[in-house]
């Protein structure tokens, strides 16, 4: 793959994807465009829609270990377009940067994957193993009918995934300086502490839930879950919302609602978090209800075939010694991890994602394609 060809193909495809207004859960033709490119080089492409979400599963090769490129075509809403310096769905170049919603998260990655695969298959039509694509339009939304649905379908078929490269924007200062080799688990809780509403002048006729809650909320905050490990920071609980009261100054409220999230390492489980929190609440003798929502369990890919291939490819293209990280929010890797796959997240610099004037370094797009191609060279030849 020559530099000129790569730059033209990867950058042009990035622009074409940005032009498609795929605000979650819409795809706006992104996946059909990708499927057309993949079909033309011999991929078998299958649409796996669920509810109103479009998903793509595409494969090349029939046996051997499977390397999956995973990602999402949906983007977050751009907000008021007048707040952007240029139309968020018209790709614009300024000072070496390409601007547009989804430029970094993650249409540049998708374009780089496609172009890298086209080049690799042209050189190795009978490569070892399988190459697959798992693409959804439900990553930025509820994430119920996207990658989760595709993984469930694959597991029911007995499909296996050995290696997975997710195109999430992982880099911080320069391309490839950070890759994600895991993510913390995430569990949300809505706690309702019950009391009895009444007049503030007659507290003996009421039961103020705020007075009881303040102490137990501090108990929850102070729980020492674990010390983390070599790959994960210690587990921590954070409150995001606390609501109580009627707005009147003379009314004792009847309940207090607190919402919190626990980001947890592989040293702690979701079950342990639930049991510990409920035991803490019970110890205070509260009348309460608590509802739990598990967003995802932690996953970790330790150094091995995939990590080595990605690190070596990054160094060969950029000269960068990459760092492993499990920080940040959740990603669809949490669903793919259920297949037992090794997972790495590698994409462009993430400083502008979800912001107005989102952008990517133009020069990084062909370099990312080259990195992806070298990963295939290392794993499948």
């Amino acid at each position: 793959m020559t530099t000129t060809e790569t730059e033209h193909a990867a950058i042009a495809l990035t622009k074409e994807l940005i032009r498609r207004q795929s605000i979650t859960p819409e795809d706006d033709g992104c996946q059909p465009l990708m499927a057309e490119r993949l079909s033309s080089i011999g991929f078998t492409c299958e649409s796996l829609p669920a509810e109103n979400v479009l998903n793509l599963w595409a494969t090349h090769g029939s046996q051997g270990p499977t390397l999956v490129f995973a990602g999402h075509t949906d983007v977050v809403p751009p907000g008021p377009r007048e707040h952007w310096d240029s139309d968020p769905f018209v790709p614009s170049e300024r000072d070496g940067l390409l601007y547009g919603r989804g430029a970094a998260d993650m249409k540049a990655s998708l374009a780089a994957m496609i172009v890298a695969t086209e080049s690799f298959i042209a050189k190795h039509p009978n490569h070892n193993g399988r190459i697959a694509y798992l693409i959804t339009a439900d990553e930025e939304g509820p994430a119920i009918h996207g990658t989760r649905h595709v993984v469930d379908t694959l597991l029911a078929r007995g499909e296996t995934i050995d290696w997975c490269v997710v195109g999430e924007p992982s880099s911080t200062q320069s391309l490839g300086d950070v890759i994600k080799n895991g993510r913390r688990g995430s569990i949300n809780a809505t706690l309702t502490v019950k009391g009895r509403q009444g007049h503030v002048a007659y507290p003996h006729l009421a039961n103020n839930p705020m007075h009881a809650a303040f102490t137990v909320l501090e108990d929850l905050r102070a729980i020492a879950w674990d010390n983390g490990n070599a790959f994960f920071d210690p587990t921590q609980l954070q409150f995001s919302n606390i609501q109580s009261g009627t707005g009147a100054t003379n009314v004792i409220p009847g309940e207090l609602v607190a919402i919190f999230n626990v980001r947890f390492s592989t040293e702690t489980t979701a079950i342990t978090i639930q049991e510990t929190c409920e035991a803490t609440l019970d110890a205070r003798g509260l009348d309460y209800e608590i509802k739990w929502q598990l967003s995802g369990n932690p996953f970790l890919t330790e150094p091995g075939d995939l990590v080595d291939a990605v690190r070596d490819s990054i160094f060969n293209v950029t000269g960068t010694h990459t760092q492993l990280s499990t920080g940040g929010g959740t990603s669809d890797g949490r669903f793919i991890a259920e297949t037992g796959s090794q997972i790495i997240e590698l994409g462009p610099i993430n400083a502008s994602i979800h912001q107005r004037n989102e952008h990517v370094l133009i020069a990084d797009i062909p370099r990312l394609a080259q990195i992806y191609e070298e990963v295939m060279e290392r794993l499948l030849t």
Side-chain angles (χ1 to χ4, degrees):
M1 151 168 53
T2 67
T3 302
T4 301
E5 289 171 346
T6 305
E7 287 178 345
H8 174 270
I11 295 169
L13 182 53
T14 301
K15 291 178 179 179
E16 183 60 31
L17 291 171
I18 290 173
R19 290 188 185 97
R20 298 169 188 261
Q21 301 186 33
S22 54
I23 299 172
T24 191
E26 297 299 325
D27 175 76
D28 198 27
C30 292
Q31 290 179 36
L33 173 62
M34 295 176 66
E36 180 182 357
R37 296 280 288 258
L38 292 171
S39 295
S40 70
I41 56 173
F43 273 75
T44 299
C45 296
E46 180 182 8
S47 182
L48 294 173
E51 299 296 329
N52 61 336
V53 174
L54 193 63
N55 303 298
L56 173 66
W57 173 248
T59 58
H60 189 276
S62 59
Q63 59 185 356
T66 300
L67 169 63
V68 170
F69 287 105
H72 61 91
T73 54
D74 59 322
V75 300
V76 295
R81 300 196 180 192
E82 61 270 21
H83 292 174
W84 286 62
D85 292 341
S86 55
D87 191 315
F89 295 108
V90 176
S92 303
E93 296 185 30
R94 298 191 295 276
D95 301 320
L97 301 174
L98 176 62
Y99 290 84
R101 176 54 87 220
D105 188 14
M106 54 176 288
K107 292 183 174 180
S109 295
L110 297 177
M113 289 173 177
I114 294 289
V115 171
T117 303
E118 290 170 338
S119 177
F120 176 78
I121 289 180
K123 296 174 184 176
H124 306 284
N126 299 311
H127 57 82
N128 298 331
R130 294 196 308 165
I131 305 171
Y133 275 71
L134 196 171
I135 309 297
T136 183
D138 184 36
E139 196 274 345
E140 299 291 8
I144 296 172
H145 303 297
T147 300
R148 184 198 298 267
H149 166 72
V150 177
V151 167
D152 288 345
T153 302
L154 297 178
L155 290 174
R157 295 175 179 176
E159 293 264 12
T160 59
I161 297 175
D162 298 275
W163 308 298
C164 181
V165 176
V166 184
E168 289 292 343
S170 63
S171 306
T172 57
Q173 301 296 323
S174 63
L175 181 64
D177 61 349
V178 174
I179 59 176
K180 306 285 187 179
N181 67 318
R183 293 279 189 162
R184 295 172 295 175
S186 176
I187 187 168
N188 298 293
T190 301
L191 169 65
T192 301
V193 179
K194 299 178 180 180
R196 186 168 65 254
Q197 185 173 312
H199 197 293
V200 295
Y202 302 96
H204 60 289
L205 299 178
N207 179 17
N208 195 324
M210 289 195 288
H211 294 179
F214 290 157
T215 300
V216 79
L217 296 184
E218 175 58 21
D219 291 344
L220 293 173
R221 187 207 63 79
I223 294 172
W225 299 99
D226 57 53
N227 295 318
N229 53 39
F231 295 100
F232 287 93
D233 289 334
T235 295
Q236 61 172 278
L237 181 153
Q238 292 290 327
F239 289 96
S240 58
N241 287 273
I242 297 177
Q243 297 177 336
S244 189
T246 65
T249 60
N250 60 351
V251 178
I252 293 172
E255 65 179 27
L256 177 144
V257 178
I259 299 174
F260 63 87
N261 172 270
V262 183
R263 296 296 167 107
F264 58 105
S265 76
T266 50
E267 300 295 315
T268 298
T269 67
I271 293 297
T272 297
I273 291 168
Q274 293 179 53
E275 292 177 346
T276 302
C277 287
E278 291 175 14
T280 301
L281 295 165
D282 291 340
R284 290 288 182 179
L286 294 183
D287 183 7
Y288 71 91
E289 289 182 354
I290 189 165
K291 296 180 180 179
W292 297 95
Q293 180 185 21
L294 177 64
S295 296
N297 286 305
F299 65 92
L300 176 68
T301 296
E302 297 196 28
D305 293 344
L306 181 59
V307 171
D308 291 346
V310 172
R311 276 178 153 171
D312 291 346
S313 298
I314 291 170
F315 182 77
N316 194 47
V317 173
T318 69
T320 297
H321 293 283
T322 193
Q323 295 182 350
L324 300 177
S325 171
T326 60
T330 58
S331 77
D332 275 2
R334 68 191 189 273
F335 306 126
I336 300 168
E338 296 176 12
T339 69
S341 172
Q342 297 177 43
I343 301 168
I344 284 294
E345 297 176 23
L346 166 63
I349 295 171
N350 57 26
S352 67
I353 62 173
H354 291 209
Q355 299 180 16
R356 63 184 182 183
N357 296 324
E358 179 182 349
H359 58 268
V360 64
L361 277 166
I362 296 173
D364 278 351
I365 302 174
R367 294 202 301 163
L368 184 57
Q370 188 176 351
I371 293 169
Y372 289 151
E373 182 175 356
E374 292 205 11
V375 170
M376 287 184 275
E377 292 276 355
R378 286 174 165 82
L379 294 175
L380 299 175
T381 61

